[in-house]
Amino acid sequence: MRKNILFMTMAVALCVSALSGCQKVPETSESNGIQHAQGANDQQISGITAETSGQRSADDYEGTIGTTNNQMNISAQIPAIPENVYQITLKPNDNLDMDRLTAFLDSASGNIVDTSEELGKELEANEIANTTGDEPVFYSLFGDHSALELSDGNKTASFTHHTWGHYVDSDLREKCLAIFRGDTTTTLITPDKMGDGSFSAEKAAEILLEKLKAVGVSEIAFDKIYYNEGSDYSYYEFQFSPAYNGIKVDIGYNSYSFGQVSPTGFAFVSMDGVADLSLMDFLGKAVEKEPVEIISFDQVAKILEQYLDSGMIEADGTMTYNRAELKYYPVPNPAPKPEEIEYKPELVLIPIWHIYMPLDDYIDGHYAGPSTICINAITGELIND
């Protein structure tokens, strides 16, 4: 199950990246573990005087940027920059110990068994299978080789790598999945529908957040929420990411780099509680938070003008980017060495401006050009996913 989830996540990311991706960053130098562009563009970005046709109000940006043959339209609500934004360094979380795992399991049974040794052997066997099969799979992981697991025969909870967590209530999960043996409807829940129904998505989210307290998580950002309803039972499926001070962690949603770490969460939640919960690369501990200055979106627009003029971004003018968000971007770890699965001891998060069109709209419109553009919110550089 754990192996399948990892492969599924990597496969989805790789497949989507074939459709489009964040644009290429200029030649880089490294400082404090972060890639910084240098050369002519540095002076251009720091001394921008170019004007665009966009008019920025307090909350919105409406405008066309670029030349006649290479331009992009932006019509998006622009978030306010929080007072405190950081470059964050995460490391494996040594607080994920047996006491915390016991709280995560939350079992009333008097027969809780430590199955950590079996889990460790399973993970080791998976790695051997991954690297010695007909099509070896090599990847980077954020974390270490640790493995802890407890089970009461029905509920199972585990921590792996000091960055991953998994919980399952087998009976409740089976009750959820059983609805697909009959007539079932699946509904995408939009933010304006969170409070609808006798068992609302809002209530289910509260149940999920209460469960996450056991692993020290108090803030998340929802990516997708689905409501699955059968004839006599229903549950919500949550896809979510970690967040820090209201800023979501995201890789740009439609691209993947070899060595990329993408903190991701999945959960099944019914009115009876959490049935299944997976947290991948999600539970790192912040060991350093360096305050940083963020460029405004007005500055971003001028920087985009330069990238369009130079051809570093190519857009045909038919697209309208209707999303502009400030996010934390997990800097990709170096790709694994040949014939080796690598465990990376830290993960660095930097703030980015993410300008994009939702992927479904992009595919439906058959547009030419990138659906998403990621700009380093400190330096103005293009992020290469």
Side-chain angles (χ1 to χ4, degrees):
M1 177 66 179
R2 280 173 285 267
K3 179 180 176 184
N4 289 341
I5 289 175
L6 174 61
F7 283 177
M8 178 184 70
T9 302
M10 295 177 65
V12 169
L14 287 167
C15 288
V16 176
S17 70
L19 297 171
S20 56
C22 291
Q23 297 300 289
K24 186 175 182 180
V25 71
E27 184 178 349
T28 61
S29 64
E30 185 168 339
S31 174
N32 298 323
I34 303 299
Q35 299 295 317
H36 295 285
Q38 60 181 2
N41 278 327
D42 282 310
Q43 295 180 347
Q44 292 175 353
I45 291 172
S46 63
I48 285 174
T49 58
E51 297 296 329
T52 76
S53 62
Q55 297 298 316
R56 170 74 192 277
S57 67
D59 299 311
D60 299 286
Y61 187 95
E62 296 277 349
T64 299
I65 302 172
T67 62
T68 302
N69 296 323
N70 197 24
Q71 63 183 15
M72 57 186 291
N73 308 304
I74 300 177
S75 177
Q77 187 175 52
I78 310 301
I81 298 175
E83 183 176 349
N84 298 311
V85 183
Y86 305 93
Q87 175 178 298
I88 303 172
T89 300
L90 303 174
K91 291 196 173 181
N93 190 348
D94 54 12
N95 293 326
L96 300 178
D97 55 17
M98 193 59 78
D99 287 341
R100 179 151 282 187
L101 185 60
T102 302
F104 191 35
L105 182 68
D106 190 26
S107 174
S109 171
N111 187 29
I112 298 175
V113 178
D114 183 350
T115 53
S116 302
E117 184 176 356
E118 290 85 345
L119 174 60
K121 291 178 179 178
E122 178 188 339
L123 294 176
E124 184 178 357
N126 281 346
E127 287 200 5
I128 293 172
N130 291 345
T131 57
T132 59
D134 293 336
E135 297 182 5
V137 179
F138 305 111
Y139 48 85
S140 294
L141 284 173
F142 168 41
D144 53 33
H145 290 81
S146 64
L148 293 176
E149 185 176 71
L150 294 174
S151 178
D152 66 2
N154 174 48
K155 295 180 180 179
T156 301
S158 64
F159 295 144
T160 54
H161 317 307
H162 278 127
T163 58
W164 290 44
H166 184 245
Y167 167 87
V168 63
D169 181 325
S170 297
D171 289 346
L172 189 53
R173 187 176 189 275
E174 172 58 27
K175 194 173 181 180
C176 291
L177 296 180
I179 70 174
F180 294 102
R181 298 181 187 128
D183 293 334
T184 309
T185 59
T186 297
T187 305
L188 175 66
I189 303 299
T190 53
D192 59 312
K193 301 295 184 182
M194 287 289 291
D196 291 359
S198 57
F199 176 52
S200 66
E202 190 174 81
K203 176 60 178 176
E206 291 174 2
I207 294 172
L208 174 59
L209 285 167
E210 185 64 29
K211 185 66 176 176
L212 289 170
K213 285 182 182 179
V215 292
V217 174
S218 60
E219 188 177 7
I220 59 176
F222 293 117
D223 301 313
K224 292 284 183 70
I225 303 174
Y226 295 97
Y227 181 57
N228 298 307
E229 184 177 19
S231 59
D232 58 1
Y233 205 69
S234 63
Y235 73 95
Y236 288 92
E237 178 183 341
F238 290 96
Q239 301 173 17
F240 55 96
S241 304
Y244 297 86
N245 294 58
I247 302 177
K248 173 186 176 182
V249 177
D250 193 0
I251 67 168
Y253 89 76
N254 72 339
S255 51
Y256 176 84
S257 294
F258 199 37
Q260 183 85 59
V261 170
S262 179
T264 307
F266 297 94
F268 293 170
V269 181
S270 77
M271 64 181 64
D272 297 316
V274 175
D276 201 339
L277 173 60
S278 292
L279 304 166
M280 295 172 287
D281 297 308
F282 203 101
L283 300 175
K285 180 170 65 175
V287 296
E288 184 178 346
K289 296 176 71 175
E290 178 186 348
V292 293
E293 294 293 327
I294 301 301
I295 59 176
S296 70
F297 197 79
D298 290 318
Q299 292 172 295
V300 170
K302 294 175 181 179
I303 290 168
L304 288 172
E305 179 96 25
Q306 291 187 352
Y307 286 138
L308 286 160
D309 288 348
S310 68
M312 293 181 67
I313 296 176
E314 295 182 358
D316 61 5
T318 61
M319 293 175 59
T320 296
Y321 295 84
N322 57 6
R323 301 286 192 278
E325 299 170 359
L326 187 65
K327 297 179 179 179
Y328 278 122
Y329 173 79
V331 177
N333 289 304
K337 297 177 182 178
E339 300 184 2
E340 183 177 342
I341 296 172
E342 292 188 330
Y343 289 79
K344 301 300 181 180
E346 70 176 28
L347 179 64
V348 177
L349 306 177
I350 60 170
I352 63 168
W353 283 104
H354 184 199
I355 303 105
Y356 65 99
M357 171 188 288
L359 188 58
D360 290 344
D361 295 344
Y362 177 81
I363 293 173
D364 290 344
H366 302 289
Y367 294 103
S371 66
T372 181
I373 298 169
C374 304
I375 300 288
N376 186 315
I378 305 170
T379 66
E381 300 154 295
L382 284 169
I383 298 292
N384 178 23
D385 273 337

